[in-house]
Amino acid sequence: MHSRSPMLLTWLMTQHGLMGTYVPLAIKPENLAPALRGLAPLGFSGCNLTIPHKERALAIVDEVDPVARRIGAISCVVVRSDGSLWGTNNDAYGFVQNILQHRPGWRADAGPVVIVGAGGGARAVAWSLAERGARDIRVVNRTLARAKALAQEFDTPMKAIAWDDRHRALEGAAMLVNTTSQGMVGQTPLDLDLDALPTSALVTDIVYAPLETPLLAAARRRGNPTVDGLGMLLHQARPAWKAWFGIEPEVTPELRALVEATF
Ligand SMILES: NC(=O)c1ccc[n+]([C@@H]2O[C@H](COP(=O)([O-])OP(=O)(O)OC[C@H]3O[C@@H](n4cnc5c(N)ncnc54)[C@H](OP(=O)(O)O)[C@@H]3O)[C@@H](O)[C@H]2O)c1
């Protein structure tokens, strides 16, 4: 219910003259398979998946594209003309495009990167950073086993760090990414002391409701450059639309302002 996608994507439909709508559907985890199987008979072109469905959907769709398979999470499902389901992941694309839009000179290999969280969003972020050359990735997660599992996923060296050591993990980092749901509307703020983080480090949050999470506000106050998570949502919609309707919308200032106005 926090999602801005229904408003954003319904607006895009109007802009592109499509007769359609984008609806939020609250699906319990145990109902994900029948819900996805219901898309074709109900006439849906596809759907996006959000917390906590991204990993579970891998075992449900008929075909998974290589990027989603590698990431281990699906963010977008396409209903093909024969009614079968194709799963892909646009979060990695959205994450990188958002950073580059705000920081055109950004490089993933500028120094150590700390990722907080090890869920579906974290997997996409870790994969995209590894793909773009990050060579020292520290994964901090409340459940250490999940951080360890993620750290072994890709060919890039990644270190799993216990939750109790999260504050010290920020030493010397060039980038900090929150991928947990902490800081989101209705959740407690991320419990992370930024003292050890260099003030030059780029801080970004994939949570976008609120637009400025407590983490981003704290980082901004101490002088760190920050990028909010809204652009990730906007940019991931582009390949999703291409897959559903053959149209690739632009992420314009007007589009961002439209969503921003809802916060
Ligand atoms: N901007 C965008 O386009 C975009 C894209 C994707 C996701 N997101 C947002 O990112 C967030 C995470 O989504 P997801 O799909 O990755 O979810 P997920 O797979 O369920 O993962 C949730 C993560 O948050 C951690 N967590 C939950 N409660 C916590 C707590 N009390 N203390 C510390 N860590 C906690 C979990 O740790 P454990 O492993 O210990 O449970 C896990 O690492 C959501 O807010 C989602 O809306 C935004």
Side-chain angles (χ1 to χ4, degrees):
M1 296 317 292
H2 73 276
S3 177
R4 295 307 195 265
S5 290
M7 184 273 265
L8 163 72
L9 296 176
T10 301
W11 183 82
L12 279 177
M13 283 182 186
T14 312
Q15 292 293 304
H16 290 275
L18 297 181
M19 294 277 286
T21 189
Y22 183 105
V23 289
L25 297 168
I27 309 294
K28 292 198 170 93
E30 61 272 25
N31 291 334
L32 183 62
L36 290 179
R37 288 288 160 215
L39 290 173
L42 288 169
F44 283 90
S45 300
C47 70
N48 286 125
L49 296 172
T50 189
I51 185 171
H53 297 307
K54 290 183 180 184
E55 292 166 68
R56 199 180 290 232
L58 279 172
I60 299 171
V61 300
D62 300 297
E63 191 184 337
V64 180
D65 99 313
V67 170
R69 175 75 63 202
R70 197 68 203 88
I71 291 172
I74 290 176
S75 71
C76 174
V77 175
V78 177
V79 177
R80 296 188 289 205
S81 53
D82 63 356
S84 63
L85 303 175
W86 180 73
T88 185
N89 191 310
N90 301 320
D91 285 342
Y93 174 85
F95 174 73
V96 168
Q97 294 304 312
N98 181 37
I99 303 286
L100 287 174
Q101 187 172 29
H102 292 90
R103 300 265 146 193
W106 169 74
R107 292 180 58 110
D109 61 356
V113 182
V114 178
I115 300 175
V116 187
R123 299 177 74 87
V125 166
W127 182 82
S128 64
L129 290 169
E131 278 290 296
R132 294 188 75 91
R135 286 291 163 262
D136 179 357
I137 300 178
R138 306 167 187 170
V139 183
V140 181
N141 195 46
R142 180 181 60 175
T143 308
L144 182 59
R146 233 175 153 193
K148 282 185 175 164
L150 175 54
Q152 286 166 3
E153 275 289 317
F154 309 116
D155 296 335
T156 298
M158 285 194 221
K159 198 171 161 205
I161 295 178
W163 192 241
D164 285 348
D165 297 329
R166 63 193 179 284
H167 314 295
R168 268 183 297 159
L170 304 181
E171 273 169 23
M175 185 176 189
L176 165 65
V177 189
N178 174 46
T179 70
T180 74
S181 48
Q182 297 296 277
M184 192 164 108
V185 173
Q187 302 278 332
T188 51
L190 180 68
D191 178 13
L192 185 62
D193 181 343
L194 299 183
D195 281 355
L197 184 72
T199 50
S200 56
L202 175 63
V203 180
T204 184
D205 203 322
I206 72 168
V207 169
Y208 64 85
L211 201 52
E212 186 176 65
T213 59
L215 171 69
L216 292 182
R220 178 176 51 77
R221 280 196 297 271
R222 64 195 295 279
N224 288 89
T226 61
V227 174
D228 66 57
L230 179 57
M232 179 174 172
L233 175 80
L234 302 179
H235 281 284
Q236 62 81 31
R238 298 175 64 207
W241 259 55
K242 181 100 179 130
W244 293 330
F245 309 122
I247 299 168
E248 199 165 356
E250 287 297 308
V251 174
T252 59
E254 185 192 8
L255 185 67
R256 189 181 159 97
L258 183 89
V259 184
E260 260 188 43
T262 67
F263 289 98

